[in-house]
Amino acid sequence: MKFRTKLIAGFATILVLLVVFSAIVLKMFFSMNEAMHGIVDENYSKVKLANVVRSDINLINTETNEQLITLQTNKLQESVAKINDTKKRLNDNLNKLERMFEEKSEARMLVQEFHQLHDDFVQSTDESLRMLQIGKKDEAVQWHREKTEPIRVALFEDIKKFNALQEHEMDTALNDSTDMYGLVIRLIIAVIVFILICTSLVAIWVYRSVTGSLSHIITVMKQASIADHSERLPRIEVRKRDEMASIGRAYNVMAEALEEQAAFQRQTNSRLQEQNWKKSKVAEITAMYQGVQTLTGLAKIFIKAVAPLIGASYGVFYNRHDGEDGIPRLVKGGTYAANNETIGLDGFQFGQGLAGQCAEENKTIILSEPPSDYIQIASGLGTASPAQIVITPVAFENQVVAVIEVASFQPFTQTHLQLLEELTELLGITIKSVAGQMQVKRLLSESQIITEELQTQSEEMQLQQEELKTLNEQLRDQIEASEKKSAELEKIKAVLEEKNEHIMLASGYKTEFLTNMSHELRTPLNSLLILSQMLASNKEGNLSAKQIEYSQTIYSSGKDLLGLINEVLDLSKIEAGKLELVSDWVKLHHFVDFARRQYEPVANDKGLTFEVSIDEGIIDLMIYTDEQRLQQIMQNLLSNAFKFTEHGGIMLEISLVAKEEAIGVPLDFVGDVVLAIAVSDTGIGIPQEKQALIFEAFRQADGTTSRKYGGTGLGLSICQKIAQLLGGSIRIESKEGAGSTFTLYIPVHKVRGDLLHLSIPEAAAALEARSPDAAGESSSISLEGKKVLLVDDDLRNIYALTTVLEAQGVEVTFAENGQEGIQRLYEDSDINLVIMDIMMPKMDGYEAIREIRKLPPFENLPIIALTAKAMKYDREKCLEAGANDYISKPILVDQLLSLIRVWLYR
Ligand code: ADP
């Protein structure tokens, strides 16, 4: 039974006994109490009732006596009624008292006797009262005294007896109760004693069963604690199935674990001991060969120390020896034999025999129980074959440097083999270092010889050094001389740079001069051209044919002059590097239109054919280039072609070619496609040797050309330079007398597909705005009655323009500078448009335009700017200042008029 169950059973028994005992004692107390109450209550009520009966009899007697003594007839009736009431109550009480007792009990019989006497007493009383009522008072008194009074005395005697009986009963009951109490007390004592005995027994039982098991466990445990760890630990015998059994089982498991732990500890200890032994031996042996200087010495020390240590009776140490032929051999270095005899071969090659094999494979070979004729180990007492032979290699960085062979009568233990392995591992390094030392020694002796030789050589070198010193000094002198020269050169360079700067400055001045010059020339030329043109048109019809011809000559000479000025200006700008390109998207179509428009009339005039060809596929292609400059080149090439062709025709061919086709043309761009614009003619041609020359400035193929055909020899050189600026070049192919082809190659940024689509509308819009057709359409619109303010400091210009504008019915007012112009605007609010020259003294055109724009009434007044220098950004600058449009000098009348129309009738 489990310890817990025992405890529960013991204590439960005690509890049950306590409950039973308490119940019995309680029960007894209750019944005792009840009995007491019964006795007291019952007897008390009986005695009380008997006393009431007695007092009622007394009352009847007293009442009767009173009547007998003091006969008051008026009160007699009242007394009789009172006596009757009392009698009735008395009778009831007597009946009640009678019922209180058991049948035939002594008390009942006494009550019955009592009842009888009472009846007699009542009858007797009634008789005396009747006598009284009939007036027989004396007889009544006598009757009462003789008859009634004895009955009453007997009655009172009976009541006394009854009370005595009751008292006796009560005493008896009290005695019984006291007895009962004593019994209960005794019973309680007995039960307490019994429970104490039971509790003690249970406690002893539990204690004994617990301490019994515990003492067994403690004994076993004590034995275990003093037991040797190498022995088996005592176990607790588990017989019962209680908590102590669980402790026993747990202890048994622990004992087992302890045994295992102890076994493991023993193993570890022995391993550690072995390792310590190995380490100390390794250290001992390593210390032994400190200071050894030869390999044979090392081999001897090693084998003599190691063989007895590992229990070998026989051992040979072979050193590696690399022969002069490069073949390694193993040579006997040291031996150990228990009997001191010579053993083992002197040497062998790698791979030869078992030891050679071991060296070849760099692997240990263990030979257990070799044949008896393999080797015999002898001692003073006899010979025997070994039980085991071990052949092990010694390696350094995987190269075998020695082989050790040992033999023993007993098989080698694992520890011995491990020691041998550890020693051989370390030995490799030692062998290598000894070999190194030997090598160092040898080298040292060699180096001593070399040092001596060197000493001799160094003496020779010292001599040479002195010679070198002398040479060095000579060289230094030369260097100093050359440094002086280079300083002079620096000076020259500085002078040159200065000159260069002067030249640059001069070139800047030249360009500036040319630009200003061209402006100065253009302004008078402007009025000359306008007026001669008007003269030639002979609007008034009063000129003779000769006069008209003169005017036309003036006009064409003026135009030539203008061309020359433009060319000189271009050239100077290009040379000064100031010609800048203004690129935009342009349709190729546009160039075709331009050529046709310009040159078809010329071809007709000269009776030549003029053909323009362009691939259908590229007609809508847009290229990103400077349109004006490209047109300038085309114009030059076409003009030349028409100029130098008398018969046949001219052909313009626009195409896209692969980059490779433009051979010899230095194209400065990244891409594969090149635009080729070729102008071919059937004219006079250019001899081969002159073909390069014509691209130089002021150079012509023939000295007489200018006389016959006119020209300055500037055109082509300008074209070539512009072409180069555009990233391309011009190539010529010509045969004297057969015609020439000038081809302009420029790189193209392809804009097909989406990009092309996106660009077309924008480009088209821009093109249309500037196309002469648009101006043509509007040329019919009259300018009659319009008022124009002309602001220009050059009166010739004012005169020329006024003449042109007035011919159109326009009213012209003028001002000579910006300030005056603004003044005029204030004075005359009807002015519809302003033509503003840019280059003016005091307030120039830009400033004047800006001022005008600041004034609210003139915010939207159309202003056309006049510029003389056809410089880049002129247009942007004018528009930025607030002008609506611009026109450059020399002014083309039609262009000006169409611009005015555009801005007046927006
Ligand atoms: P210009 O034509 O004003 O003399 P260019 O530089 O344009 O100057 O031409 C230089 C020269 O090259 C010309 O004078 C002419 O001798 C020669 N040349 C140019 N184009 C042609 C051509 N299409 N046919 C024959 N010769 C030409």
Side-chain angles (χ1 to χ4, degrees):
M1 201 190 287
K2 279 191 177 181
F3 176 60
R4 201 173 65 136
T5 326
K6 279 178 190 169
L7 279 179
I8 292 170
F11 285 111
T13 316
I14 293 166
L15 210 69
V16 169
L17 285 173
L18 270 175
V19 169
V20 171
F21 164 70
S22 309
I24 292 167
V25 169
L26 277 177
K27 173 82 184 140
M28 285 171 104
F29 270 116
F30 279 133
S31 56
M32 246 168 74
N33 196 28
E34 241 171 65
M36 285 291 286
H37 275 286
I39 294 163
V40 174
D41 287 351
E42 215 176 301
N43 286 320
Y44 174 72
S45 54
K46 283 172 186 168
V47 171
K48 197 180 162 191
L49 211 57
N51 284 338
V52 170
V53 169
R54 185 187 161 144
S55 77
D56 281 346
I57 290 168
N58 241 353
L59 190 77
I60 295 167
N61 192 43
T62 315
E63 202 68 34
T64 314
N65 277 344
E66 211 173 301
Q67 283 301 323
L68 285 175
I69 297 162
T70 61
L71 180 73
Q72 293 165 320
T73 26
N74 56 337
K75 277 189 181 178
L76 184 65
Q77 261 337 95
E78 197 185 317
S79 289
V80 171
K82 203 174 175 183
I83 288 166
N84 282 342
D85 279 352
T86 309
K87 273 195 266 178
K88 201 176 169 241
R89 193 168 64 226
L90 192 64
N91 195 43
D92 286 348
N93 282 340
L94 277 172
N95 284 335
K96 210 188 270 175
L97 197 64
E98 202 175 338
R99 279 198 302 276
M100 277 178 166
F101 295 97
E102 286 166 25
E103 254 333 298
K104 289 182 184 167
S105 65
E106 191 184 352
R108 182 135 178 183
M109 273 159 47
L110 202 59
V111 173
Q112 278 169 353
E113 191 186 312
F114 191 59
H115 207 160
Q116 193 58 50
L117 280 173
H118 158 267
D119 290 345
D120 293 346
F121 173 75
V122 169
Q123 270 176 16
S124 175
T125 322
D126 286 348
E127 188 58 36
S128 36
L129 282 175
R130 195 189 50 84
M131 281 177 193
L132 209 58
Q133 279 168 336
I134 55 171
K136 292 178 182 174
K137 191 188 168 198
D138 294 330
E139 282 126 335
V141 171
Q142 197 180 350
W143 177 268
H144 184 73
R145 205 183 299 133
E146 287 170 9
K147 297 279 181 181
T148 312
E149 194 58 23
I151 298 170
R152 190 195 59 86
V153 173
L155 253 175
F156 274 40
E157 263 318 297
D158 272 5
I159 289 171
K160 230 183 229 171
K161 263 191 220 169
F162 176 78
N163 279 351
L165 186 67
Q166 286 309 309
E167 267 170 27
H168 174 71
E169 258 181 35
M170 270 166 74
D171 283 343
T172 316
L174 210 63
N175 284 338
D176 284 354
S177 159
T178 312
D179 290 347
M180 181 70 147
Y181 178 74
L183 182 71
V184 168
I185 292 291
R186 277 195 299 279
L187 191 67
I188 288 172
I189 291 166
V191 169
I192 287 173
V193 171
F194 173 71
I195 287 172
L196 275 175
I197 291 165
C198 282
T199 314
S200 307
L201 285 175
V202 166
I204 289 164
W205 174 56
V206 170
Y207 172 78
R208 285 191 65 179
S209 66
V210 170
T211 48
S213 305
L214 268 178
S215 67
H216 176 59
I217 291 169
I218 290 166
T219 318
V220 174
M221 279 183 172
K222 270 184 185 161
Q223 279 171 4
S225 67
I226 54 166
D228 187 349
H229 284 282
S230 57
E231 291 171 15
R232 189 174 187 277
L233 292 175
R235 296 289 198 271
I236 294 169
E237 201 180 328
V238 182
R239 275 171 298 185
K240 294 179 191 166
R241 301 186 67 197
D242 57 5
E243 284 83 351
M244 295 305 155
S246 304
I247 295 174
R249 270 194 293 277
Y251 163 80
N252 288 347
V253 171
M254 188 187 81
E256 205 165 304
L258 273 173
E259 277 168 8
E260 277 172 19
Q261 176 67 25
F264 176 72
Q265 191 109 19
R266 277 199 300 278
Q267 269 179 12
T268 317
N269 279 349
S270 75
R271 254 206 309 278
L272 272 174
Q273 268 171 355
E274 267 175 27
Q275 274 174 9
N276 280 346
W277 179 79
K278 271 190 282 175
K279 271 186 192 147
S280 68
K281 291 301 158 196
V282 167
E284 263 173 38
I285 291 170
T286 325
M288 278 165 85
Y289 45 69
Q290 293 285 324
V292 175
Q293 288 179 347
T294 61
L295 287 177
T296 340
L298 179 68
K300 278 182 182 144
I301 291 173
F302 185 83
I303 199 73
K304 288 219 159 71
V306 172
L309 207 62
I310 59 171
S313 322
Y314 162 88
V316 189
F317 191 116
Y318 291 101
N319 277 319
R320 180 197 177 105
H321 182 76
D322 289 322
E324 276 170 19
D325 49 2
I327 300 168
R329 273 176 64 78
L330 290 167
V331 182
K332 188 156 84 180
T335 58
Y336 170 83
N339 56 355
N340 271 340
E341 64 177 23
T342 323
I343 46 160
L345 291 172
D346 285 341
F348 42 84
Q349 285 184 349
F350 274 49
Q352 189 187 346
L354 275 176
Q357 195 59 32
C358 160
E360 178 97 351
E361 288 178 12
N362 191 12
K363 255 189 203 158
T364 302
I365 297 172
I366 296 176
L367 220 66
S368 296
E369 293 180 12
S372 56
D373 56 346
Y374 186 79
I375 184 175
Q376 289 288 314
I377 301 175
S379 74
L381 297 171
T383 56
S385 8
Q388 202 173 43
I389 297 173
V390 173
I391 310 163
T392 185
V394 182
F396 178 75
E397 287 177 353
N398 277 336
Q399 191 192 47
V400 174
V401 288
V403 167
I404 298 162
E405 193 174 339
V406 281
S408 167
F409 288 125
Q410 303 294 327
F412 291 104
T413 63
Q414 204 56 33
T415 317
H416 288 154
L417 290 176
Q418 279 170 0
L419 177 68
L420 187 64
E421 196 184 317
E422 273 178 40
L423 283 168
T424 48
E425 266 170 28
L426 290 171
L427 191 62
I429 305 163
T430 314
I431 291 177
K432 209 64 198 171
S433 84
V434 170
Q437 274 173 23
M438 285 165 73
Q439 176 92 342
V440 168
K441 252 189 195 168
R442 192 170 48 75
L443 289 175
L444 202 70
S445 67
E446 278 174 20
S447 82
Q448 265 169 347
I449 302 165
I450 294 168
T451 317
E452 279 163 19
E453 279 173 19
L454 273 173
Q455 234 167 356
T456 335
Q457 282 176 3
S458 100
E459 279 162 16
E460 280 171 23
M461 273 176 77
Q462 240 168 351
L463 282 176
Q464 285 174 356
Q465 219 171 4
E466 270 160 29
E467 280 171 23
L468 270 171
K469 252 188 203 168
T470 333
L471 278 172
N472 233 2
E473 273 161 22
Q474 285 172 357
L475 256 171
R476 208 175 296 155
D477 291 345
Q478 282 176 4
I479 288 167
E480 271 169 25
S482 80
E483 270 173 5
K484 271 182 197 159
K485 273 184 189 166
S486 78
E488 277 168 25
L489 273 172
E490 280 293 309
K491 273 184 199 162
I492 293 167
K493 199 175 148 196
V495 171
L496 277 174
E497 271 171 9
E498 207 177 313
K499 278 189 179 162
N500 207 18
E501 268 173 33
H502 283 306
I503 290 167
M504 293 285 278
L505 214 59
S507 140
Y509 288 147
K510 189 182 124 193
T511 321
E512 188 66 14
F513 166 75
L514 281 170
T515 316
N516 289 335
M517 186 67 181
S518 83
H519 171 71
E520 293 307 323
L521 284 170
R522 272 180 215 219
T523 312
L525 202 56
N526 195 34
S527 48
L528 190 131
L529 281 171
I530 293 171
L531 293 177
S532 60
Q533 198 183 7
M534 283 189 67
L535 260 183
S537 67
N538 191 20
K539 275 205 173 147
E540 285 159 31
N542 55 358
L543 294 182
S544 66
K546 211 63 180 164
Q547 283 170 326
I548 292 170
E549 204 188 310
Y550 290 159
S551 323
Q552 278 170 345
T553 314
I554 296 171
Y555 179 71
S556 72
S557 307
K559 259 181 85 175
D560 285 350
L561 188 57
L562 187 65
L564 181 64
I565 292 166
N566 282 344
E567 281 181 343
V568 171
L569 186 64
D570 278 349
L571 196 68
S572 76
K573 272 201 263 182
I574 289 169
E575 279 181 352
K578 286 192 176 164
L579 187 102
E580 285 172 62
L581 299 174
V582 185
S583 295
D584 206 344
W585 289 105
V586 197
K587 248 190 201 176
L588 286 183
H589 197 267
H590 189 70
F591 295 109
V592 177
D593 292 346
F594 160 77
R596 285 210 175 106
R597 204 168 49 236
Q598 291 260 323
Y599 291 96
E600 261 164 13
V602 184
N604 290 340
D605 269 3
K606 285 193 85 172
L608 298 170
T609 59
F610 179 49
E611 242 180 84
V612 181
S613 102
I614 180 163
D615 283 349
E616 249 332 285
I618 63 165
I619 196 132
D620 282 328
L621 183 78
M622 294 184 86
I623 60 168
Y624 191 74
T625 189
D626 186 328
E627 180 189 0
Q628 198 192 339
R629 295 296 167 191
L630 195 61
Q631 270 181 8
Q632 188 178 345
I633 300 172
M634 279 175 70
Q635 204 163 8
N636 209 297
L637 298 180
L638 284 165
S639 300
N640 278 349
F642 278 103
K643 190 156 77 177
F644 296 106
T645 309
E646 299 293 335
H647 309 287
I650 318 295
M651 176 142 141
L652 171 69
E653 230 180 315
I654 301 179
S655 59
L656 281 185
V657 297
K659 189 179 176 183
E660 294 70 39
E661 278 186 46
I663 312 154
V665 180
L667 288 168
D668 173 24
F669 82 109
V670 197
D672 295 326
V673 184
V674 178
L675 175 72
I677 300 176
V679 178
S680 315
D681 64 56
T682 50
I684 58 171
I686 305 150
Q688 186 70 34
E689 66 279 11
K690 301 274 171 75
Q691 284 179 7
L693 179 138
I694 54 166
F695 287 101
E696 288 172 25
F698 299 106
R699 295 298 287 267
Q700 294 175 316
D702 189 343
T704 60
T705 308
S706 66
R707 258 169 278 144
K708 194 176 172 189
Y709 300 100
T712 54
L714 280 175
L716 280 179
S717 71
I718 292 170
C719 287
Q720 185 66 291
K721 281 179 178 130
I722 295 174
Q724 280 161 6
L725 274 179
L726 289 171
S729 180
I730 299 172
R731 197 167 64 179
I732 172 175
E733 273 174 84
S734 180
K735 220 172 169 194
E736 206 177 355
S740 338
T741 301
F742 285 83
T743 315
L744 164 70
Y745 292 100
I746 54 161
V748 171
H749 302 275
K750 274 208 282 182
V751 281
R752 288 176 190 279
D754 290 340
L755 192 55
L756 178 68
H757 276 291
L758 279 179
S759 308
I760 286 171
E762 289 168 29
L767 290 171
E768 246 146 58
R770 313 204 74 203
S771 97
D773 296 349
E777 272 172 35
S778 62
S779 63
S780 54
I781 303 165
S782 162
L783 295 176
E784 193 80 45
K786 294 289 175 194
K787 213 172 215 178
V788 171
L789 169 67
L790 185 61
V791 190
D792 198 332
D793 61 324
D794 193 308
L795 280 173
R796 292 165 295 186
N797 230 350
I798 292 175
Y799 174 66
L801 284 174
T802 309
T803 319
V804 170
L805 292 172
E806 280 179 349
Q808 298 293 321
V810 176
E811 196 183 317
V812 182
T813 55
F814 69 91
E816 283 187 58
N817 58 54
Q819 253 166 9
E820 221 182 295
I822 296 168
Q823 192 64 32
R824 289 278 171 286
L825 279 175
Y826 271 120
E827 288 164 6
D828 193 345
S829 57
D830 294 342
I831 292 168
N832 302 110
L833 185 135
V834 181
I835 297 173
M836 178 77 73
D837 188 35
I838 291 299
M839 287 185 83
M840 287 182 297
K842 281 193 188 168
M843 186 190 268
D844 71 5
Y846 298 127
E847 213 182 320
I849 296 171
R850 272 194 280 269
E851 287 300 315
I852 294 172
R853 285 292 182 237
K854 278 186 202 162
L855 307 168
F858 313 121
E859 250 174 38
N860 297 317
L861 183 71
I863 303 175
I864 295 171
L866 285 185
T867 61
K869 285 189 211 169
M871 293 296 257
K872 190 197 170 193
Y873 302 131
D874 271 358
R875 178 183 156 85
E876 280 82 355
K877 264 168 98 180
C878 294
L879 298 181
E880 213 176 278
N884 296 80
D885 215 328
Y886 85 107
I887 185 162
S888 59
K889 291 180 191 171
I891 295 159
L892 296 173
V893 176
D894 289 343
Q895 198 186 354
L896 177 68
L897 291 177
S898 74
L899 265 187
I900 293 173
R901 282 195 187 91
V902 167
W903 288 108
L904 281 181
Y905 297 98
R906 270 176 301 166

